[in-house]
Short mmCIF file of all heavy atoms in Angstrom, two decimals:
data_model
loop_
_atom_site.label_atom_id
_atom_site.label_comp_id
_atom_site.label_asym_id
_atom_site.label_seq_id
_atom_site.Cartn_x
_atom_site.Cartn_y
_atom_site.Cartn_z
N GLY A 230 11.69 5.94 13.10
CA GLY A 230 11.45 4.52 13.43
C GLY A 230 10.86 4.33 14.81
O GLY A 230 11.00 3.25 15.38
N VAL A 231 10.24 5.34 15.34
CA VAL A 231 9.70 5.27 16.70
C VAL A 231 8.41 4.46 16.76
O VAL A 231 8.18 3.69 17.68
CB VAL A 231 9.44 6.71 17.25
CG1 VAL A 231 8.70 6.68 18.57
CG2 VAL A 231 10.74 7.47 17.37
N LEU A 232 7.58 4.59 15.73
CA LEU A 232 6.27 3.92 15.71
C LEU A 232 6.36 2.57 15.03
O LEU A 232 7.18 2.37 14.15
CB LEU A 232 5.26 4.81 14.99
CG LEU A 232 5.01 6.18 15.60
CD1 LEU A 232 4.12 7.01 14.69
CD2 LEU A 232 4.39 6.04 16.97
N PRO A 233 5.48 1.63 15.43
CA PRO A 233 5.49 0.29 14.83
C PRO A 233 4.80 0.28 13.46
O PRO A 233 3.63 -0.06 13.33
CB PRO A 233 4.71 -0.53 15.85
CG PRO A 233 3.72 0.44 16.41
CD PRO A 233 4.45 1.76 16.48
N VAL A 234 5.54 0.70 12.45
CA VAL A 234 4.98 0.81 11.11
C VAL A 234 5.84 0.05 10.11
O VAL A 234 6.99 -0.29 10.38
CB VAL A 234 4.87 2.29 10.65
CG1 VAL A 234 3.91 3.06 11.53
CG2 VAL A 234 6.22 2.95 10.63
N THR A 235 5.27 -0.18 8.94
CA THR A 235 5.99 -0.75 7.81
C THR A 235 5.97 0.27 6.69
O THR A 235 4.92 0.84 6.39
CB THR A 235 5.29 -2.05 7.33
OG1 THR A 235 5.26 -2.97 8.41
CG2 THR A 235 6.00 -2.65 6.14
N LYS A 236 7.12 0.51 6.11
CA LYS A 236 7.20 1.46 5.00
C LYS A 236 6.94 0.71 3.71
O LYS A 236 7.59 -0.29 3.41
CB LYS A 236 8.57 2.14 4.97
CG LYS A 236 8.62 3.28 3.98
CD LYS A 236 9.87 4.09 4.12
CE LYS A 236 9.82 5.26 3.14
NZ LYS A 236 11.03 6.05 3.16
N VAL A 237 5.99 1.22 2.94
CA VAL A 237 5.65 0.64 1.65
C VAL A 237 5.81 1.74 0.62
O VAL A 237 4.99 2.65 0.53
CB VAL A 237 4.20 0.10 1.63
CG1 VAL A 237 3.86 -0.51 0.29
CG2 VAL A 237 3.97 -0.90 2.76
N GLY A 238 6.91 1.68 -0.12
CA GLY A 238 7.23 2.78 -1.04
C GLY A 238 7.51 4.02 -0.22
O GLY A 238 8.38 4.03 0.63
N ARG A 239 6.72 5.06 -0.47
CA ARG A 239 6.89 6.31 0.29
C ARG A 239 5.88 6.44 1.42
O ARG A 239 5.87 7.43 2.14
CB ARG A 239 6.74 7.50 -0.66
CG ARG A 239 7.89 7.57 -1.65
CD ARG A 239 7.74 8.62 -2.71
NE ARG A 239 7.07 9.83 -2.26
CZ ARG A 239 6.90 10.89 -2.99
NH1 ARG A 239 7.33 10.90 -4.23
NH2 ARG A 239 6.27 11.94 -2.53
N ASP A 240 5.02 5.45 1.57
CA ASP A 240 3.95 5.48 2.58
C ASP A 240 4.25 4.56 3.74
O ASP A 240 5.10 3.67 3.63
CB ASP A 240 2.61 5.08 1.94
CG ASP A 240 2.19 6.03 0.83
OD1 ASP A 240 2.35 7.24 0.99
OD2 ASP A 240 1.70 5.53 -0.20
N TYR A 241 3.55 4.78 4.83
CA TYR A 241 3.67 3.95 6.01
C TYR A 241 2.32 3.35 6.34
O TYR A 241 1.29 4.03 6.22
CB TYR A 241 4.14 4.77 7.22
CG TYR A 241 5.54 5.30 7.08
CD1 TYR A 241 5.79 6.53 6.46
CD2 TYR A 241 6.61 4.59 7.60
CE1 TYR A 241 7.08 7.02 6.35
CE2 TYR A 241 7.90 5.08 7.50
CZ TYR A 241 8.12 6.29 6.88
OH TYR A 241 9.41 6.79 6.77
N ILE A 242 2.31 2.09 6.78
CA ILE A 242 1.09 1.46 7.27
C ILE A 242 1.40 0.74 8.57
O ILE A 242 2.57 0.45 8.87
CB ILE A 242 0.50 0.47 6.25
CG1 ILE A 242 1.49 -0.66 5.93
CG2 ILE A 242 0.03 1.18 4.99
CD1 ILE A 242 0.90 -1.78 5.10
N THR A 243 0.37 0.48 9.33
CA THR A 243 0.51 -0.30 10.54
C THR A 243 -0.77 -1.06 10.79
O THR A 243 -1.79 -0.80 10.16
CB THR A 243 0.87 0.58 11.76
OG1 THR A 243 1.25 -0.26 12.86
CG2 THR A 243 -0.27 1.47 12.18
N ILE A 244 -0.71 -1.99 11.70
CA ILE A 244 -1.89 -2.75 12.11
C ILE A 244 -2.37 -2.17 13.42
O ILE A 244 -1.56 -1.90 14.32
CB ILE A 244 -1.53 -4.24 12.26
CG1 ILE A 244 -1.09 -4.81 10.90
CG2 ILE A 244 -2.69 -5.03 12.84
CD1 ILE A 244 -0.49 -6.18 10.98
N ARG A 245 -3.66 -1.93 13.54
CA ARG A 245 -4.22 -1.29 14.75
C ARG A 245 -3.78 -1.98 16.02
O ARG A 245 -3.41 -1.32 17.00
CB ARG A 245 -5.75 -1.26 14.62
CG ARG A 245 -6.46 -0.64 15.80
CD ARG A 245 -6.00 0.81 15.93
NE ARG A 245 -6.72 1.53 16.92
CZ ARG A 245 -7.64 2.45 16.65
NH1 ARG A 245 -7.96 2.73 15.43
NH2 ARG A 245 -8.22 3.10 17.62
N ALA A 246 -3.77 -3.31 16.04
CA ALA A 246 -3.39 -4.04 17.24
C ALA A 246 -1.93 -3.75 17.62
O ALA A 246 -1.60 -3.64 18.81
CB ALA A 246 -3.58 -5.55 17.04
N GLU A 247 -1.04 -3.62 16.63
CA GLU A 247 0.36 -3.29 16.91
C GLU A 247 0.48 -1.89 17.51
O GLU A 247 1.25 -1.66 18.43
CB GLU A 247 1.21 -3.36 15.63
CG GLU A 247 1.45 -4.75 15.15
CD GLU A 247 2.31 -5.56 16.09
OE1 GLU A 247 3.27 -5.01 16.67
OE2 GLU A 247 2.02 -6.76 16.25
#
Side-chain angles (χ1 to χ4, degrees):
V231 173
L232 300 173
V234 296
T235 300
K236 188 170 184 183
V237 180
R239 293 174 34 176
D240 298 319
Y241 293 88
I242 60 171
T243 191
I244 297 170
R245 179 60 174 254
E247 288 294 321

